[in-house]
Amino acid sequence: MKQELENLQKDFKKAVDDVKDVLKLDEVYQRFFSRKSGEMTNIMKNLKELTGDARKEIGKLANEVKGELEDIYGKKKDELENQKWDEIAQTEKIDITQPKLPKKRKGHLHPMTIVHNELEDLFTSMGFMVLDGPELESDFYNFEGLNIAKTHPARDSQDTFFIKNKPEWVMRTHTSPVQVRAMQKYGAPLRTVVTGRCFRNESTDASHEHTFYQMEGLVIDREISIANLIGTMKELLQGVLKREVEVRLRPGYFPFVEPGFELDMKCLVCEGQGCGACKHSGWVETLPCGLVNPKVIEHGGLDPKEWTGFAFGLGSMRLCMQKYGVEDIRHLHAGDMKFLEQF
Ligand code: DAH
């Protein structure tokens, strides 16, 4: 065994001497020291078969050899690694005549995303949860559940895209369907906002798009009043626009609220003078809202005698236009870099 150890020591030294890179060095190490079948490992295992003084003597020797070989391995590894860095340092040159590399173009959020993020932050800070709903909706959630019956004239103003041979499905015309979905899923009390894409069969102009965004808000609790509604709406507009805004409240009709309102704000693009963004009226219809109709509360699976609520449907594209002074809604979907790079 003594002889075996001596041979092994020689073999190891020779193998390490021949090695030129770290990978090969590790292969050599494995050959001798791998746990399962390394040559050194095997000798250490065989020590068990020896007895008495022989075991003591050979055991000591084997440990010394093992320590020595490990040192050799460690030194060689350091040497090879240093050599590698030296080579890199010698071959790498800095060319100071090289022209500056073109500036990397960095992307950024779309203005609509910025507005939605701000709105969601604002409402989560007031204890609302942010929900989502499907863009392809059932007739029930989009209309029926919101108290818009099949023959109701309100359906005319919300003509949308239908799916061939699937009359019970529609591309949602508003985010309001999530009102009933939210009540069914979470019950009451409830505070939620939903931002999302909506669709209507609409000819486009400076303030209308067939595909647009809304943010729905719904609060269900006991004894909710119009004062709660107005307070929240003011908080919303000032939070996003970061300035005082002049508003006016008019009665408005929506089958899913009673009473219903239209909350308009003075156009910030033209300061009330009249422009494309406000249909030349000086006022922008921004926030239709109202107290939730008891029938909708019922569809949500709650008892309208116990629960009340308010809801609003913000045209978030219009709000975005007001915030940034965009005069035509179509810019927001055009994907024109000249427009988008301004944000
Ligand atoms: N969903 C309505 C629309 O798109 C807007 C609306 C009005 C939403 C009143 C509401 C509301 O939640 O209370 O025309």
Side-chain angles (χ1 to χ4, degrees):
M1 204 173 254
K2 216 174 184 176
Q3 187 59 44
E4 246 179 89
L5 268 172
E6 273 170 21
N7 291 345
L8 183 139
Q9 206 174 3
K10 261 195 229 141
D11 287 353
F12 185 85
K13 283 182 182 160
K14 164 117 188 26
V16 169
D17 266 352
D18 291 347
V19 143
K20 302 243 157 11
D21 61 63
V22 180
L23 267 183
K24 283 269 160 1
L25 180 68
D26 283 338
E27 275 172 26
V28 170
Y29 186 81
Q30 284 305 316
R31 190 181 121 203
F32 287 85
F33 287 96
S34 100
R35 279 222 204 169
K36 269 202 188 138
S37 56
E39 292 176 24
M40 185 74 213
T41 321
N42 287 343
I43 291 187
M44 298 304 273
K45 279 184 197 158
N46 293 342
L47 286 178
K48 272 187 260 150
E49 283 155 25
L50 299 174
T51 48
D53 283 349
R55 184 169 178 168
K56 251 193 210 160
E57 189 195 338
I58 305 282
K60 185 165 171 262
L61 183 65
N63 273 322
E64 277 166 13
V65 171
K66 187 167 176 255
E68 185 199 354
L69 300 189
E70 275 174 343
D71 275 356
I72 293 177
Y73 163 78
K75 277 194 193 120
K76 182 80 178 188
K77 192 160 184 159
D78 287 348
E79 197 182 296
L80 289 173
E81 267 165 4
N82 287 339
Q83 204 175 315
K84 191 174 85 190
W85 289 117
D86 283 351
E87 275 164 22
I88 290 175
Q90 273 173 16
T91 48
E92 196 177 53
K93 290 195 182 80
I94 296 172
D95 178 1
I96 54 164
T97 64
Q98 184 178 355
K100 202 168 138 205
L101 292 172
K103 214 171 153 198
K104 275 215 185 103
R105 286 180 72 173
K106 231 170 146 191
H108 61 81
L109 297 178
H110 188 277
M112 277 312 301
T113 314
I114 299 174
V115 167
H116 280 168
N117 286 351
E118 278 184 19
L119 283 167
E120 289 177 1
D121 284 351
L122 188 73
F123 277 94
T124 38
S125 78
M126 293 195 274
F128 283 62
M129 63 177 167
V130 177
L131 292 181
D132 213 350
E135 291 177 353
L136 181 60
E137 232 338 332
S138 71
D139 187 277
F140 172 77
Y141 285 113
N142 199 80
F143 295 121
E144 214 82 20
L146 292 168
N147 195 31
I148 312 174
K150 283 254 175 334
T151 52
H152 199 286
R155 289 214 180 190
D156 276 354
S157 61
Q158 299 206 3
D159 188 16
T160 180
F161 305 103
F162 291 83
I163 307 299
K164 219 175 183 175
N165 305 328
K166 293 271 179 203
E168 70 280 17
W169 285 0
V170 302
M171 294 305 285
R172 68 171 174 198
T173 56
H174 47 182
T175 41
S176 306
V178 189
Q179 288 190 21
V180 177
R181 287 181 175 277
M183 280 186 269
Q184 287 179 345
K185 187 159 180 190
Y186 296 102
L190 178 70
R191 279 185 235 175
T192 180
V193 284
V194 180
T195 52
R197 195 155 51 160
C198 312
F199 310 84
R200 285 190 202 178
N201 181 10
E202 185 112 50
S203 24
T204 60
D205 62 31
S207 55
H208 292 89
E209 263 282 29
H210 49 71
T211 301
F212 56 97
Y213 291 90
Q214 286 191 342
M215 185 182 73
E216 193 76 15
L218 175 71
V219 171
I220 299 285
D221 214 321
R222 293 188 169 88
E223 292 173 22
I224 289 289
S225 74
I226 295 171
N228 300 131
L229 168 65
I230 295 175
T232 314
M233 299 302 91
K234 276 197 180 149
E235 198 67 33
L236 187 174
L237 291 176
Q238 281 167 17
V240 174
L241 299 168
K242 309 213 163 50
R243 54 183 138 164
E244 279 281 326
V245 281
E246 214 176 306
V247 295
R248 68 177 188 190
L249 202 61
R250 297 178 283 130
Y253 176 68
F254 304 94
F256 37 94
V257 281
E258 180 59 38
F261 306 101
E262 288 276 7
L263 193 138
D264 304 337
M265 58 183 268
K266 189 169 252 178
C267 183
L268 300 174
V269 178
C270 64
E271 304 290 343
Q273 298 304 303
C275 70
C278 60
K279 298 188 213 156
H280 303 279
S281 72
W283 292 92
V284 197
E285 287 175 23
T286 333
L287 260 171
C289 50
L291 297 186
V292 183
N293 190 310
K295 287 199 182 132
V296 178
I297 295 186
E298 235 166 61
H299 284 302
L302 300 172
D303 180 0
K305 284 198 205 80
E306 186 181 358
W307 299 103
T308 52
F310 72 77
F312 57 91
L314 171 74
S316 49
M317 268 179 139
R318 295 202 178 146
L319 189 71
C320 177
M321 291 165 74
Q322 290 296 310
K323 181 176 167 81
Y324 293 113
V326 178
E327 78 297 350
D328 193 316
I329 196 169
R330 290 166 291 194
H331 287 315
L332 292 170
H333 268 158
D336 179 352
M337 290 307 284
K338 279 212 252 4
F339 170 74
L340 291 173
E341 275 169 352
Q342 299 173 77
F343 296 93

